[in-house]
PDB file of all heavy atoms in Angstrom:
ATOM      1  N   GLY A  64      -1.962  -0.517  -0.170  1.00 98.00           N
ATOM      2  CA  GLY A  64      -1.256   0.220   0.869  1.00 98.00           C
ATOM      3  C   GLY A  64      -0.058  -0.674   1.356  1.00 98.00           C
ATOM      4  O   GLY A  64      -0.124  -0.895   2.589  1.00 98.00           O
ATOM      5  N   GLU A  87       0.605   1.080  -3.894  1.00 98.00           N
ATOM      6  CA  GLU A  87       1.016   2.044  -2.884  1.00 98.00           C
ATOM      7  C   GLU A  87       1.065   3.444  -3.506  1.00 98.00           C
ATOM      8  O   GLU A  87       1.643   3.534  -4.604  1.00 98.00           O
ATOM      9  CB  GLU A  87       2.326   1.597  -2.265  1.00 98.00           C
ATOM     10  CG  GLU A  87       3.077   2.605  -1.460  1.00 98.00           C
ATOM     11  CD  GLU A  87       2.183   3.022  -0.189  1.00 98.00           C
ATOM     12  OE1 GLU A  87       1.755   2.185   0.562  1.00 98.00           O
ATOM     13  OE2 GLU A  87       1.969   4.227  -0.130  1.00 98.00           O
ATOM     14  N   GLU A 114      -3.074   5.209  -6.982  1.00 98.00           N
ATOM     15  CA  GLU A 114      -4.191   5.275  -6.017  1.00 98.00           C
ATOM     16  C   GLU A 114      -5.039   3.952  -6.252  1.00 98.00           C
ATOM     17  O   GLU A 114      -5.518   3.736  -7.387  1.00 98.00           O
ATOM     18  CB  GLU A 114      -5.025   6.493  -6.124  1.00 98.00           C
ATOM     19  CG  GLU A 114      -6.001   6.833  -4.913  1.00 98.00           C
ATOM     20  CD  GLU A 114      -7.164   5.962  -4.914  1.00 98.00           C
ATOM     21  OE1 GLU A 114      -7.957   5.891  -5.832  1.00 98.00           O
ATOM     22  OE2 GLU A 114      -7.512   5.253  -3.851  1.00 98.00           O
ATOM     23  N   ALA A 115      -5.088   3.159  -5.230  1.00 98.00           N
ATOM     24  CA  ALA A 115      -5.794   1.835  -5.523  1.00 98.00           C
ATOM     25  C   ALA A 115      -7.216   1.809  -6.130  1.00 98.00           C
ATOM     26  O   ALA A 115      -7.570   1.084  -6.993  1.00 98.00           O
ATOM     27  CB  ALA A 115      -5.820   1.054  -4.133  1.00 98.00           C
ATOM     28  N   TYR A 134      -3.720  -4.158   5.231  1.00 98.00           N
ATOM     29  CA  TYR A 134      -3.181  -4.321   6.566  1.00 98.00           C
ATOM     30  C   TYR A 134      -2.840  -2.981   7.092  1.00 98.00           C
ATOM     31  O   TYR A 134      -2.036  -2.304   6.420  1.00 98.00           O
ATOM     32  CB  TYR A 134      -1.961  -5.282   6.494  1.00 98.00           C
ATOM     33  CG  TYR A 134      -2.439  -6.722   6.027  1.00 98.00           C
ATOM     34  CD1 TYR A 134      -1.685  -7.305   5.015  1.00 98.00           C
ATOM     35  CD2 TYR A 134      -3.583  -7.295   6.484  1.00 98.00           C
ATOM     36  CE1 TYR A 134      -2.100  -8.653   4.594  1.00 98.00           C
ATOM     37  CE2 TYR A 134      -4.035  -8.471   6.004  1.00 98.00           C
ATOM     38  CZ  TYR A 134      -3.316  -9.150   5.075  1.00 98.00           C
ATOM     39  OH  TYR A 134      -3.766 -10.395   4.671  1.00 98.00           O
ATOM     40  N   PHE A 135      -3.318  -2.546   8.258  1.00 98.00           N
ATOM     41  CA  PHE A 135      -3.013  -1.438   8.893  1.00 98.00           C
ATOM     42  C   PHE A 135      -3.232  -0.081   8.031  1.00 98.00           C
ATOM     43  O   PHE A 135      -2.453   0.620   7.791  1.00 98.00           O
ATOM     44  CB  PHE A 135      -1.589  -1.507   9.469  1.00 98.00           C
ATOM     45  CG  PHE A 135      -1.542  -2.635  10.392  1.00 98.00           C
ATOM     46  CD1 PHE A 135      -1.106  -3.842   9.887  1.00 98.00           C
ATOM     47  CD2 PHE A 135      -1.895  -2.537  11.693  1.00 98.00           C
ATOM     48  CE1 PHE A 135      -1.041  -5.064  10.627  1.00 98.00           C
ATOM     49  CE2 PHE A 135      -1.927  -3.639  12.436  1.00 98.00           C
ATOM     50  CZ  PHE A 135      -1.536  -4.871  12.083  1.00 98.00           C
ATOM     51  N   THR A 211       3.552  -7.018   9.342  1.00 96.00           N
ATOM     52  CA  THR A 211       4.017  -5.793   8.457  1.00 96.00           C
ATOM     53  C   THR A 211       4.848  -4.923   9.368  1.00 96.00           C
ATOM     54  O   THR A 211       4.952  -5.177  10.571  1.00 96.00           O
ATOM     55  CB  THR A 211       2.696  -5.083   7.972  1.00 96.00           C
ATOM     56  OG1 THR A 211       2.196  -4.389   9.115  1.00 96.00           O
ATOM     57  CG2 THR A 211       1.737  -5.949   7.238  1.00 96.00           C
TER      58      THR A 211
HETATM   59  C1  LIG B  26      -0.450   2.949   7.688  1.00 78.44           C
HETATM   60  S1  LIG B  26       0.445   2.543   6.364  1.00 78.44           S
HETATM   61  C2  LIG B  26       0.488   0.754   6.390  1.00 78.44           C
HETATM   62  C3  LIG B  26       1.659   0.177   5.424  1.00 78.44           C
HETATM   63  C4  LIG B  26       1.675  -1.363   5.663  1.00 78.44           C
HETATM   64  N1  LIG B  26       0.560  -2.004   5.123  1.00 78.44           N
HETATM   65  C5  LIG B  26       2.176  -1.810   6.939  1.00 78.44           C
HETATM   66  O1  LIG B  26       1.238  -2.465   7.691  1.00 78.44           O
HETATM   67  O2  LIG B  26       3.274  -1.664   7.350  1.00 78.44           O
HETATM   68  C6  LIG B  26      -0.807   2.673   5.060  1.00 78.44           C
HETATM   69  C7  LIG B  26      -0.257   2.801   3.686  1.00 78.44           C
HETATM   70  O3  LIG B  26      -1.401   2.784   2.704  1.00 78.44           O
HETATM   71  C8  LIG B  26      -1.116   3.669   1.699  1.00 78.44           C
HETATM   72  N2  LIG B  26      -2.308   4.004   1.110  1.00 78.44           N
HETATM   73  C9  LIG B  26      -3.365   4.532   1.818  1.00 78.44           C
HETATM   74  N3  LIG B  26      -4.459   4.719   0.914  1.00 78.44           N
HETATM   75  C10 LIG B  26      -4.011   4.235  -0.277  1.00 78.44           C
HETATM   76  C11 LIG B  26      -4.643   4.101  -1.508  1.00 78.44           C
HETATM   77  N4  LIG B  26      -5.960   4.583  -1.712  1.00 78.44           N
HETATM   78  N5  LIG B  26      -4.127   3.595  -2.554  1.00 78.44           N
HETATM   79  C12 LIG B  26      -2.638   3.103  -2.465  1.00 78.44           C
HETATM   80  N6  LIG B  26      -2.105   3.239  -1.262  1.00 78.44           N
HETATM   81  C13 LIG B  26      -2.764   3.745  -0.196  1.00 78.44           C
HETATM   82  C14 LIG B  26      -0.336   4.764   2.329  1.00 78.44           C
HETATM   83  O4  LIG B  26       0.429   5.545   1.634  1.00 78.44           O
HETATM   84  C15 LIG B  26       0.515   4.060   3.425  1.00 78.44           C
HETATM   85  O5  LIG B  26       1.806   3.659   2.971  1.00 78.44           O
END
Side-chain angles (χ1 to χ4, degrees):
E87 172 54 58
E114 194 285 306
Y134 300 134
F135 303 89
T211 69

